[in-house]
Amino acid sequence: MQKFLFSPIEDHTYSIVGYEGDESDVVIPENYGGIKVTVICDKVFTGHSEIVSVTIPDTVTDMVWESLYLKAVIT
């Protein structure tokens, strides 16, 4: 199950601040509650060695590369 933790940003979008899922193929959502997800924060996937791929939508315009510090295919 994919479970993300979201935090609102001043520009009225959301950032992903955590991941509590257990999927090997993670798909970042384009929106949360109808509001765009635009940022992936630092160390979101730390400790998730099960992840082999991460799909990131075009709505994400900013991310900390350390948030994707894992051995995965990023699309």
Side-chain angles (χ1 to χ4, degrees), residues 38-41 56 60-68 74:
T38 59
V39 177
I40 301 173
C41 293
I56 302 169
V60 173
T61 58
D62 191 18
M63 74 176 116
V64 178
W65 280 104
E66 198 171 303
S67 64
L68 298 173
I74 300 169

Side-chain angles (χ1 to χ4, degrees), residues 10-35:
E10 291 177 7
D11 67 355
H12 305 289
T13 64
Y14 276 103
S15 64
I16 293 178
V17 296
Y19 177 72
E20 297 179 345
D22 57 6
E23 298 289 325
S24 59
D25 300 311
V26 175
V27 178
I28 303 294
E30 290 185 13
N31 63 68
Y32 174 68
I35 299 172

Side-chain angles (χ1 to χ4, degrees), residues 47-63:
H48 288 279
S49 59
E50 73 279 3
I51 298 174
V52 295
S53 72
V54 178
T55 302
I56 302 169
D58 291 339
T59 58
V60 173
T61 58
D62 191 18
M63 74 176 116

